[in-house]
Amino acid sequence: MKNIGQRFKQLFRQQPLKVSTVIFVILGLITVGTIQHYQLKGQATSANLKAIMAKQKNEQITDVAQSSATNETNTSNDSKTSQSTTEKPNKMYVEIKGSVAQPNVYQVAADARINDLVKLAGGLTKDADSRQINLAQPLQDGMSIYVPKKGEDLLVQEQTGPPATSSTISEAGVPNKINLNQADATQLQQVSGIGPKKAADIIDYRQKDGPFKSVDELTNVNGIGEKTLANIRDELCV
């Protein structure tokens, strides 16, 4: 290292201009290299910073889009749930009997009226008394409609309510009697001495020949005679 220093001094004395030029060139190269190094480093840092900012922006956009989609899905589900909760049944079942061509239980639209039910049952018979029914009356699920004959005097339920039960008011105004014109097979079997067969025969007679005009008419049903009628008369009404 000492020899190098002595040679450099000797060379500088012999050719000072050349040595100075070489030194300046070397220093210049070092300076330029240093500047370029920091410029490249700065550019890389700037590029990295831009990439990071762009990534964060994309992530924010994605989060907003996902949040919006989730909100729309929840809103749609809430709307469907609310709609399904408030929707009414599209169909209902109602019964019509009495003076119609085909007494039976029919499936009707939720907004149907008695006139629609009469049409499904084949229309009124010739002896039907249409003055006692309101054909424009809206129907309700489980309703039972009875169409009386002309001249028939019946104590019937209001047609705005559900079908009558076994405790329908009797002709004497006494409750807790089975109404022969409105009771179903199960209710008829509550009467002592009437089983499934006789209950079916009573309903069949009622559908074919119309409603009973009196309890005494029950003797027209197969299997029911005067003796049987005498035993069950107090449990029945029309």
Side-chain angles (χ1 to χ4, degrees):
M1 192 70 182
K2 185 177 180 181
N3 293 333
I4 294 174
Q6 291 176 352
R7 289 180 181 178
F8 181 78
K9 289 180 180 180
Q10 184 179 1
L11 182 61
F12 185 75
R13 291 191 189 99
Q14 294 175 353
Q15 297 179 343
L17 182 59
K18 289 183 178 181
V19 173
S20 298
T21 302
V22 171
I23 292 173
F24 280 117
V25 170
I26 293 173
L27 291 175
L29 291 175
I30 293 173
T31 302
V32 171
T34 302
I35 293 173
Q36 290 180 346
H37 170 74
Y38 283 105
Q39 285 180 341
L40 291 175
K41 186 176 181 180
Q43 290 176 356
T45 302
S46 177
N48 291 337
L49 182 59
K50 289 181 179 179
I52 292 172
M53 292 177 65
K55 183 178 180 181
Q56 291 178 344
K57 185 176 181 180
N58 290 335
E59 289 177 350
Q60 290 176 352
I61 293 174
T62 302
D63 291 341
V64 171
Q66 290 177 347
S67 177
S68 177
T70 301
N71 291 336
E72 289 179 359
T73 301
N74 292 337
T75 301
S76 177
N77 291 337
D78 292 342
S79 177
K80 290 179 179 179
T81 301
S82 176
Q83 184 178 3
S84 62
T85 302
T86 56
E87 281 183 352
K88 295 182 179 180
N90 293 327
K91 299 292 183 180
M92 57 185 180
Y93 292 88
V94 291
E95 180 187 27
I96 186 169
K97 47 194 175 182
S99 300
V100 290
Q102 298 174 350
N104 208 335
V105 175
Y106 292 93
Q107 184 186 67
V108 297
D111 58 350
R113 298 179 181 269
I114 290 180
N115 188 55
D116 300 317
L117 181 60
V118 169
K119 290 180 180 179
L120 288 175
L124 300 174
T125 59
K126 293 181 179 180
D127 59 350
D129 188 358
S130 60
R131 296 175 301 175
Q132 297 192 48
I133 59 174
N134 179 7
L135 294 175
Q137 175 72 47
L139 295 171
Q140 298 178 16
D141 189 34
M143 178 182 284
S144 179
I145 303 299
Y146 177 74
V147 181
K149 293 180 180 180
K150 293 177 181 178
E152 187 175 8
D153 185 17
L154 293 176
L155 292 175
V156 296
Q157 60 173 341
E158 292 185 3
Q159 294 178 342
T160 56
T165 64
S166 59
S167 60
T168 302
I169 296 176
S170 70
E171 55 192 359
V174 180
N176 300 324
K177 289 190 176 185
I178 302 298
N179 191 308
L180 289 173
N181 291 323
Q182 297 173 345
D184 58 21
T186 301
Q187 294 166 347
L188 288 171
Q189 291 177 57
Q190 295 176 11
V191 178
S192 56
I194 295 182
K197 177 65 169 60
K198 288 182 179 179
D201 290 339
I202 291 172
I203 294 175
D204 184 60
Y205 176 87
R206 189 174 68 195
Q207 291 178 345
K208 290 181 179 179
D209 297 286
F212 291 90
K213 296 179 177 61
S214 68
V215 175
D216 293 334
E217 193 178 340
L218 194 60
T219 56
N220 294 334
V221 177
N222 291 334
I224 299 179
E226 294 292 344
K227 185 177 180 179
T228 301
L229 178 60
N231 293 331
I232 63 176
R233 178 188 297 276
D234 292 339
E235 300 178 50
L236 301 171
C237 69
V238 293

